Amino acid sequence: MFKYFRNHFVSHLTECKRRRSRLVSKDGRCNIEFGHVEEQSRFVCLVDIWTTILDLRWRYKMTIFISAFLGSWFLFGLLWYIVAYVHQDLPEFSPSANHTPCVDNINGLTSAFLFSLETQVTIGYGFRCVTEQCAMAIFLLIIQSILGVIINSFMCGAILAKISRPKKRAKTITFSKNAVISKRGGKLCLLIRVANLRKSLLIGSHIYGKLLRTTVTPEGETIILDQVNVDFVVDTGNENLFFISPLTIFHVIDKNSPFFHMAADTILQQEFELVVFLDGTVESTSATCQVRTSYLAEEVLWGYRFAPIVSKTKEGKYRVDFHNFSKTVEVETPHCAFCLYNEKDAKAKAKLGYDNLGFQLQEVNETTNTKM
């Protein structure tokens, strides 16, 4: 019992360690942070304020949205109160009956705030209004109107751009939970399934992968997160995918593949992360988006293939059963790619003749002696 719990605890720690070392999460988020950034580089985000606003979380964006409007209303309300105070329009100055105020019916800071709100959002109740008595009030009215339009345009545009970002469209593209390795078309391949959950297509889709691992150069330099290209294709190539139904993309494990020297019993001992990217253009908005996911060594199943999910109904429609989307079926698979290619070479050589260098031809003179 103690041995069982110890093994379970060790495997749990190993899994947590691997989970922490994942660079790209399953939903495409990158697990990376920047340290010891120079002070001048920290304010780069303020230079590109538009992108910074778009990248903010919704709670921070709504806080800025509300604060921008409330702050501008209160600031100009305070300025309107100062104008009324300087011109002695307030009741505490006991203005005369023929006194013409800069703004009618401003009796304090509260009424000045209400007038600022009505001016900036163009409500116009008609109770408070600017008179031609003060040039300062007219100038302040023009400034607040212009600034109000700028704030409205910026904040409403930021919210609209946040809603329509192609990142949300990427949420409707899903990858299989595991990658599998099995034979396909007589070749050993690594297969991944990807599906589009919406009926609208991704135009000009292109899929590719990167294998991240730690390598040591011949000079002794250790490169963490060394990137190796992994080419993925479907039956028609890797570009302009007809993404109307789930596709099974595959990578051929040949002599140029980084998986060539891996085997069924050694792949779990490897330290790598396979990151898969899918780029495309959203059909409805013409905005480009990228979907990405990753697979660790324990998420690559050797000797399995994906279960079929597309069928045809009696009415003639094609039906996709997402219950089997990540379901795998065990199949007979070579132990390694090297074994498969050796087997093919052996069969090819068996069909051909070859010269035996140790063979020597000797002539024998036959004599026939017949006696009667």
Side-chain angles (χ1 to χ4, degrees):
M1 181 65 68
F2 176 75
K3 184 178 180 180
Y4 169 77
F5 284 108
R6 185 184 64 181
N7 295 335
H8 179 74
F9 181 72
V10 171
S11 62
H12 179 72
L13 289 180
T14 304
E15 183 181 356
C16 293
K17 182 179 179 181
R18 286 179 179 267
R19 192 174 302 170
R20 288 194 301 267
S21 63
R22 186 192 291 269
L23 178 64
V24 180
S25 63
K26 298 297 288 185
D27 57 356
R29 292 177 296 178
C30 296
N31 179 27
I32 191 169
E33 63 179 12
F34 300 99
H36 301 287
V37 181
E38 297 181 0
E39 292 293 335
Q40 57 183 1
S41 301
R42 295 183 178 179
F43 298 98
V44 175
C45 296
L46 297 179
V47 177
D48 188 12
I49 187 65
W50 178 252
T51 306
T52 303
I53 293 296
L54 291 183
D55 290 338
L56 288 176
R57 295 181 179 271
W58 274 109
R59 53 179 176 268
Y60 302 126
K61 184 183 293 291
M62 295 307 299
T63 301
I64 295 176
F65 181 84
I66 296 174
S67 301
F69 283 102
L70 290 179
S72 61
W73 296 338
F74 181 77
L75 175 63
F76 280 98
L78 186 62
L79 294 177
W80 287 117
Y81 178 79
I82 294 175
V83 170
Y85 185 85
V86 172
H87 198 255
Q88 296 184 353
D89 298 336
L90 300 177
E92 54 263 28
F93 293 104
S94 300
S96 60
N98 59 353
H99 177 77
T100 304
C102 292
V103 182
D104 288 333
N105 300 312
I106 287 187
N107 302 319
L109 185 60
T110 303
S111 58
F113 175 79
L114 292 176
F115 177 71
S116 174
L117 172 63
E118 296 170 12
T119 301
Q120 188 164 328
V121 299
T122 63
I123 294 178
Y125 289 121
F127 183 68
R128 301 178 183 87
C129 61
V130 178
T131 64
E132 68 276 5
Q133 185 69 24
C134 301
M136 183 184 300
I138 298 175
F139 178 76
L140 185 60
L141 177 65
I142 296 174
I143 295 299
Q144 185 175 7
S145 299
I146 295 175
L147 187 61
V149 171
I150 294 176
I151 294 176
N152 287 337
S153 302
F154 184 85
M155 299 308 301
C156 294
I159 291 181
L160 180 61
K162 179 78 171 179
I163 296 175
S164 61
R165 292 186 74 180
K167 183 182 294 185
K168 300 301 179 183
R169 177 63 175 91
K171 299 295 184 181
T172 59
I173 306 297
T174 180
F175 288 88
S176 57
K177 182 179 179 181
N178 298 98
V180 297
I181 295 178
S182 61
K183 291 179 64 176
R184 187 183 182 94
K187 300 178 182 179
L188 191 64
C189 300
L190 183 142
L191 300 97
I192 296 173
R193 180 170 279 175
V194 57
N196 180 16
L197 301 180
R198 298 182 66 93
K199 292 185 178 180
S200 58
L201 300 178
L202 285 179
I203 303 174
S205 300
H206 173 67
I207 194 162
Y208 57 96
K210 298 287 184 180
L211 187 70
L212 309 179
R213 59 185 179 183
T214 302
T215 59
V216 180
T217 63
E219 294 78 15
E221 180 185 2
T222 302
I223 302 178
I224 301 178
L225 298 180
D226 185 25
Q227 301 184 14
V228 181
N229 290 328
V230 179
D231 297 327
F232 283 95
V233 295
V234 292
D235 295 334
T236 58
N238 63 344
E239 295 183 355
N240 300 324
L241 306 178
F242 186 49
F243 212 177
I244 193 64
S245 63
L247 297 176
T248 300
I249 61 174
F250 60 91
H251 163 72
V252 179
I253 304 178
D254 53 12
K255 296 181 180 180
N256 298 323
S257 172
F259 297 94
F260 183 75
H261 297 286
M262 299 183 189
D265 54 353
T266 62
I267 189 171
L268 294 179
Q269 303 173 5
Q270 304 291 328
E271 291 287 342
F272 68 85
E273 180 177 355
L274 176 62
V275 185
V276 183
F277 303 88
L278 174 63
D279 300 337
T281 303
V282 182
E283 185 180 26
S284 56
T285 62
S286 299
T288 57
C289 68
Q290 182 183 88
V291 194
R292 51 188 176 266
T293 190
S294 67
Y295 298 93
L296 298 180
E298 60 268 18
E299 295 172 341
V300 179
L301 306 179
W302 195 294
Y304 289 83
R305 65 171 176 83
F306 290 110
I309 60 174
V310 180
S311 60
K312 192 173 183 180
T313 62
K314 296 180 180 180
E315 293 79 10
K317 295 184 178 180
Y318 292 93
R319 183 176 182 271
V320 179
D321 185 9
F322 279 95
H323 178 72
N324 295 333
F325 180 73
S326 295
K327 186 177 179 180
T328 57
V329 179
E330 188 173 2
V331 293
E332 183 179 355
T333 306
H335 179 263
C336 61
F338 190 76
C339 301
L340 177 62
Y341 284 99
N342 283 347
E343 181 182 353
K344 289 184 177 181
D345 293 341
K347 290 182 179 180
K349 290 181 179 179
K351 297 179 180 180
L352 301 175
Y354 59 92
D355 296 331
N356 187 355
L357 300 179
F359 179 78
Q360 295 181 358
L361 178 63
Q362 295 182 356
E363 295 183 357
V364 179
N365 295 326
E366 296 183 355
T367 58
T368 58
N369 297 324
T370 59
K371 294 182 180 181
M372 298 297 295

